[in-house]
Amino acid sequence: MATVRLLSDDEVAANPAAKAVFDDIRATRKSDFVNNFWRGLANDPVLLKRTWEEVKAVMVGEGALDPLTRELIYIAVSSANSCQYCVHSHTAAARAKGMDDAQYGELLAIIGLAGKTNHLVTAMQIPADPEFLVTS
Amino acid sequence: MATVRLLSDDEVAANPAAKAVFDDIRATRKSDFVNNFWRGLANDPVLLKRTWEEVKAVMVGEGALDPLTRELIYIAVSSANSCQYCVHSHTAAARAKGMDDAQYGELLAIIGLAGKTNHLVTAMQIPADPEFLVTS
Amino acid sequence: MATVRLLSDDEVAANPAAKAVFDDIRATRKSDFVNNFWRGLANDPVLLKRTWEEVKAVMVGEGALDPLTRELIYIAVSSANSCQYCVHSHTAAARAKGMDDAQYGELLAIIGLAGKTNHLVTAMQIPADPEFLVTS
Amino acid sequence: MATVRLLSDDEVAANPAAKAVFDDIRATRKSDFVNNFWRGLANDPVLLKRTWEEVKAVMVGEGALDPLTRELIYIAVSSANSCQYCVHSHTAAARAKGMDDAQYGELLAIIGLAGKTNHLVTAMQIPADPEFLVTS
Amino acid sequence: MATVRLLSDDEVAANPAAKAVFDDIRATRKSDFVNNFWRGLANDPVLLKRTWEEVKAVMVGEGALDPLTRELIYIAVSSANSCQYCVHSHTAAARAKGMDDAQYGELLAIIGLAGKTNHLVTAMQIPADPEFLVTS
Amino acid sequence: MATVRLLSDDEVAANPAAKAVFDDIRATRKSDFVNNFWRGLANDPVLLKRTWEEVKAVMVGEGALDPLTRELIYIAVSSANSCQYCVHSHTAAARAKGMDDAQYGELLAIIGLAGKTNHLVTAMQIPADPEFLVTS
């Protein structure tokens, strides 16, 4: 159903550059499971490597935002962009990082409310208050 | 520049229903400042009241997600939806709730990364892994 | 501020193909005013002509939907697409075609609600009910 | 296929708050059928109740816009937002409220045309004509 | 699964206006295959004819941009708009027009990068440099 | 007007990591001009460096797609995403790389047409033809 082939582990193994990325995904996540996004990207090892390194730098490890909060933000963007796969994969990731039902319910409520007020604001073309523009 | 008039306090005061909402906004936020979004909505007191009550229920007070995290999610949705006013108002709100530069930098990095992988996934039409579909 | 020059009437007059379209816009609308969208398109008379003919066929004259309803639909799409100019121009057009404050308030309420439920549905990835799929 | 469980009537019956909303949906629509959107929202009875009350207030009953026009606007927003479920559910609703083939054909023509001119305007960054900005 | 019936060749043949468009699609493309988009549009022969004539004028034949480049642009817009069918159909068209794996990999890299920087720019609300605004 | 400060050359010079990126931008582009996007990102030197390295890898130098074609694709995505700054900056870049009026006119025509058919397809929920799905 994809526009690219989703490479199997055997196919990935045939390309050392792609294989190295898959090895690092598995080592970093401490799991043998590699999801379809990476199997599609594996057709272009350069794009695969650059994308994984960015995901690793931004989403993995210590940071100013905790790992679960980062996933909530990812779900929010993905929902607004109507990215089905991304919604599924990052909702699963958020649950794996401890998102409970109450947190998920609030996330949904905020995503819905933001969708609503974004549309209202754009339909009314509200200009920014000078109070918001403190940085220029 | 808006498609509606942005009502002044005097104009709002002429409509008791709108006035009551503005009073509650000020009391809830402990601030006299009421931003343009509400001044545009004040043309329709019913829509004003329903929208404010939802914002108050979702964004104000205790919850499973802390107030700053809720603002970060709001910024994420608003950025993906290209809502200029919403980006400005919720970035200001996040700063008022304590967002520091490191947190903001990470928020931007996640929003950018999600925008990138959302586009890559959609361009490749990646199908959801069965592992993600545990809930049906 | 545009990426193209907005052609003046004198400049348009220098190109017979563009001039003919401007003449038809003025005759059809019974107004001398030609808005900036057409002045930008006038740089490419073929694109100008094709676009105007489509607008004329779809938005002007008798149809199964009355002219005001057509403008409301146009505003709805333009709001969801964050098209500032389109929101302004079609809101002005809707008012010129008789949209009153009560109708506009309801339009805004529907646009906001649809934005909200669109986001909720996408965030939850709700599958279509078989009852909706009667046509295949 | 959803990220949430779609609750059965038995599961909804176990939660009085959710049950009350489902009862009101059925009474208001005079139909036993409750579509999947509400079954997903039922996991969070507070969000379910608030969303249904807004849908009921905006989409049901008398208003300045007739019920069919409201559905056409909903379809327009949902199409621009690429919300598959929403397109299906509101197209079914519009047909149930009397939308005929000629009306539907015109709706599609307007949605397509607006999508086109929205993109053209954004690509050219056309500034709003002063004539449109009468309200500030 | 569509909201409209996808007309078979026999059904199209019953409407001379739709039949003429299908004949022209087949003659222009030198192929008997007519894809589902046209079978959906065939329910409204006027919309079918206008849409095909535009596609033929813009995407077929000689031009300032070669046919493959035009398909790449089409894929880019369709990916940003989350249009699944359009991504599939235009990726297939690009391959039929000679897109190789290296070109496709670069296309994906650009679409992903643009998605990322679009989101970063919108989240930061970067104002246009005066150097870019040379045309007004 | 941005949500971040746009750093001056003096401010950038105070941070060696940001300074190194600005030096490389100038050397790579053989121009002293550094546009606002980079001045906003300079607040977070890590994000600045990663973003520039990706832009340099994808948009600069030899490739399977020529530099102008890459800019056309970038404009297409940016238009669909309603990113004003990105439309301006990449249209200026395309012109600097030789885009002539005929090419630009065709680009606009394709962007507009894709916007139209994307909306029509989504509104009709057209399913992918099996003929398009050759890769799985």
Side-chain angles (χ1 to χ4, degrees):
Chain A
M1 250 172 68
T3 67
V4 293
R5 297 194 63 252
L6 303 176
L7 300 193
S8 67
D9 284 347
D10 283 352
E11 291 169 309
V12 170
N15 184 303
K19 173 72 163 52
V21 175
F22 270 51
D23 286 349
D24 193 42
I25 292 175
R26 287 181 161 120
T28 302
R29 293 180 167 174
K30 303 184 203 318
S31 162
D32 194 54
F33 174 61
V34 179
N35 53 305
N36 284 339
F37 177 53
W38 305 110
R39 296 182 184 284
L41 283 177
N43 291 281
D44 184 337
V46 172
L47 183 57
L48 170 70
K49 180 170 157 49
R50 192 168 53 223
T51 305
W52 165 246
E53 285 179 353
E54 186 174 352
V55 167
K56 192 177 171 183
V58 174
M59 299 301 286
V60 178
E62 293 298 300
L65 300 175
D66 65 89
L68 175 53
T69 297
R70 292 181 233 170
E71 292 294 344
L72 301 182
I73 294 165
Y74 221 116
I75 294 169
V77 174
S78 302
S79 297
N81 280 335
S82 292
C83 184
Q84 300 184 15
Y85 182 86
C86 316
V87 167
H88 275 302
S89 61
H90 288 280
T91 302
R95 286 202 171 106
K97 291 179 181 173
M99 179 177 71
D100 64 27
D101 286 353
Q103 291 169 320
Y104 188 49
E106 289 193 16
L107 172 68
L108 292 175
I110 299 165
I111 290 173
L113 174 59
K116 175 180 172 174
T117 61
N118 286 184
H119 278 67
L120 284 172
V121 160
T122 302
M124 293 189 292
Q125 289 289 303
I126 304 291
D129 302 73
E131 287 81 355
F132 295 151
L133 305 176
V134 294
T135 61
S136 67
Chain B
M1 253 172 66
T3 66
V4 292
R5 297 195 62 255
L6 303 176
L7 300 193
S8 68
D9 284 347
D10 282 352
E11 292 169 308
V12 170
N15 183 303
K19 173 72 163 54
V21 175
F22 270 51
D23 287 348
D24 193 43
I25 292 174
R26 287 180 162 121
T28 302
R29 293 179 167 175
K30 303 184 203 317
S31 163
D32 195 53
F33 174 61
V34 179
N35 54 304
N36 284 339
F37 177 54
W38 306 109
R39 296 183 183 283
L41 283 177
N43 291 281
D44 184 337
V46 171
L47 183 56
L48 170 69
K49 181 170 156 49
R50 192 167 53 221
T51 305
W52 165 246
E53 286 179 350
E54 185 174 352
V55 167
K56 191 177 171 182
V58 174
M59 299 301 287
V60 177
E62 294 298 300
L65 301 175
D66 65 272
L68 175 53
T69 297
R70 291 181 235 170
E71 292 294 345
L72 301 182
I73 294 165
Y74 222 116
I75 294 169
V77 174
S78 302
S79 297
N81 280 337
S82 291
C83 183
Q84 300 184 15
Y85 182 87
C86 315
V87 167
H88 275 302
S89 62
H90 288 280
T91 302
R95 285 203 171 104
K97 291 179 181 172
M99 179 176 70
D100 63 28
D101 287 352
Q103 291 169 320
Y104 187 48
E106 289 193 15
L107 172 68
L108 291 175
I110 300 165
I111 290 173
L113 174 60
K116 174 180 173 174
T117 60
N118 287 184
H119 278 67
L120 284 172
V121 159
T122 303
M124 293 190 291
Q125 290 290 302
I126 304 291
D129 302 74
E131 287 80 354
F132 294 151
L133 306 176
V134 295
T135 62
S136 65
Chain C
M1 253 173 66
T3 66
V4 293
R5 297 195 61 253
L6 303 176
L7 300 193
S8 68
D9 283 348
D10 283 352
E11 292 169 309
V12 170
N15 183 302
K19 174 73 163 53
V21 174
F22 270 51
D23 286 349
D24 193 43
I25 292 174
R26 288 181 161 119
T28 302
R29 294 179 167 175
K30 303 185 203 316
S31 163
D32 196 53
F33 174 61
V34 179
N35 54 304
N36 284 339
F37 177 53
W38 306 109
R39 297 183 184 282
L41 283 177
N43 291 281
D44 183 338
V46 172
L47 183 56
L48 170 69
K49 181 170 156 48
R50 192 167 53 221
T51 306
W52 166 246
E53 286 180 352
E54 185 173 351
V55 167
K56 192 177 172 181
V58 174
M59 299 300 288
V60 177
E62 294 297 300
L65 301 174
D66 65 90
L68 176 53
T69 297
R70 292 181 234 170
E71 292 294 345
L72 301 182
I73 294 164
Y74 221 115
I75 294 169
V77 174
S78 302
S79 298
N81 280 336
S82 291
C83 184
Q84 299 184 15
Y85 182 86
C86 316
V87 166
H88 275 302
S89 62
H90 289 280
T91 302
R95 286 203 169 104
K97 291 180 181 172
M99 180 177 70
D100 63 28
D101 287 352
Q103 290 170 321
Y104 187 49
E106 289 193 15
L107 172 67
L108 292 175
I110 300 165
I111 289 173
L113 174 59
K116 175 181 172 173
T117 60
N118 287 183
H119 279 67
L120 284 172
V121 159
T122 302
M124 292 190 292
Q125 290 289 304
I126 304 291
D129 303 74
E131 287 80 356
F132 295 151
L133 306 176
V134 294
T135 61
S136 64
Chain D
M1 249 172 69
T3 67
V4 292
R5 297 195 62 253
L6 304 175
L7 300 193
S8 68
D9 283 347
D10 282 352
E11 291 169 309
V12 170
N15 184 302
K19 174 72 164 51
V21 175
F22 270 52
D23 286 348
D24 194 42
I25 292 174
R26 288 182 161 119
T28 302
R29 294 181 166 173
K30 303 184 204 316
S31 162
D32 195 53
F33 174 62
V34 179
N35 53 305
N36 284 339
F37 177 53
W38 306 110
R39 296 183 184 282
L41 283 176
N43 292 282
D44 184 337
V46 172
L47 183 57
L48 170 70
K49 180 170 157 50
R50 192 167 55 223
T51 305
W52 165 246
E53 286 179 352
E54 186 174 352
V55 167
K56 191 177 172 182
V58 174
M59 299 300 287
V60 178
E62 294 298 300
L65 301 175
D66 66 88
L68 176 53
T69 297
R70 292 181 234 170
E71 292 294 345
L72 300 182
I73 294 164
Y74 222 116
I75 295 169
V77 174
S78 302
S79 297
N81 280 335
S82 292
C83 184
Q84 299 185 15
Y85 181 86
C86 316
V87 167
H88 276 301
S89 61
H90 289 279
T91 302
R95 286 203 170 105
K97 290 179 182 173
M99 180 177 71
D100 64 28
D101 287 352
Q103 291 169 320
Y104 188 50
E106 288 193 16
L107 172 68
L108 291 176
I110 299 165
I111 290 173
L113 175 58
K116 176 181 172 174
T117 61
N118 286 183
H119 278 67
L120 284 172
V121 160
T122 302
M124 292 190 292
Q125 289 290 304
I126 304 290
D129 303 74
E131 286 82 354
F132 294 151
L133 306 175
V134 295
T135 61
S136 67
Chain E
M1 252 173 68
T3 67
V4 292
R5 296 195 63 253
L6 303 177
L7 301 194
S8 68
D9 284 346
D10 283 352
E11 291 169 309
V12 170
N15 184 302
K19 174 72 163 54
V21 175
F22 270 52
D23 287 348
D24 194 42
I25 292 175
R26 288 181 161 120
T28 301
R29 294 180 167 174
K30 304 184 202 318
S31 162
D32 194 54
F33 175 61
V34 180
N35 54 304
N36 284 339
F37 177 53
W38 306 109
R39 296 183 184 282
L41 284 176
N43 291 281
D44 183 337
V46 172
L47 183 57
L48 170 70
K49 180 171 157 49
R50 191 167 55 222
T51 305
W52 165 245
E53 286 179 351
E54 186 173 351
V55 167
K56 191 177 170 182
V58 174
M59 299 301 287
V60 177
E62 294 297 300
L65 300 175
D66 65 89
L68 176 53
T69 297
R70 292 181 234 170
E71 292 294 344
L72 301 181
I73 294 164
Y74 221 116
I75 294 169
V77 174
S78 302
S79 297
N81 280 335
S82 292
C83 183
Q84 299 185 14
Y85 181 87
C86 316
V87 167
H88 275 302
S89 62
H90 288 280
T91 302
R95 286 204 170 104
K97 291 179 181 173
M99 180 176 72
D100 63 28
D101 287 351
Q103 291 170 320
Y104 187 49
E106 289 193 16
L107 172 68
L108 291 176
I110 300 165
I111 289 174
L113 174 59
K116 175 180 173 174
T117 61
N118 286 184
H119 279 66
L120 284 172
V121 160
T122 302
M124 292 190 292
Q125 289 289 303
I126 304 291
D129 303 74
E131 287 80 354
F132 295 151
L133 306 175
V134 295
T135 62
S136 68
Chain F
M1 252 173 66
T3 65
V4 292
R5 297 195 62 253
L6 303 175
L7 300 193
S8 68
D9 284 348
D10 282 351
E11 291 169 310
V12 170
N15 184 303
K19 174 72 162 54
V21 174
F22 270 52
D23 287 348
D24 193 43
I25 293 175
R26 287 182 161 119
T28 302
R29 293 179 167 176
K30 304 185 202 316
S31 163
D32 195 53
F33 175 61
V34 179
N35 53 304
N36 284 339
F37 177 53
W38 306 109
R39 296 184 184 283
L41 283 177
N43 291 281
D44 183 338
V46 172
L47 182 57
L48 170 69
K49 180 170 156 51
R50 192 166 54 221
T51 305
W52 165 246
E53 286 179 352
E54 184 173 354
V55 167
K56 191 177 171 183
V58 173
M59 299 301 286
V60 177
E62 294 298 299
L65 300 175
D66 66 88
L68 175 53
T69 297
R70 292 181 234 171
E71 291 294 345
L72 301 181
I73 294 164
Y74 221 116
I75 294 169
V77 173
S78 302
S79 297
N81 280 336
S82 291
C83 184
Q84 300 184 16
Y85 182 86
C86 315
V87 167
H88 276 302
S89 62
H90 288 279
T91 302
R95 285 203 171 105
K97 291 180 181 172
M99 180 176 70
D100 64 27
D101 287 352
Q103 291 169 320
Y104 188 48
E106 288 193 16
L107 173 67
L108 291 176
I110 299 165
I111 290 173
L113 174 59
K116 175 181 173 173
T117 60
N118 286 184
H119 278 67
L120 284 172
V121 160
T122 302
M124 293 190 291
Q125 290 290 304
I126 304 290
D129 303 75
E131 287 80 355
F132 294 151
L133 305 175
V134 294
T135 62
S136 66

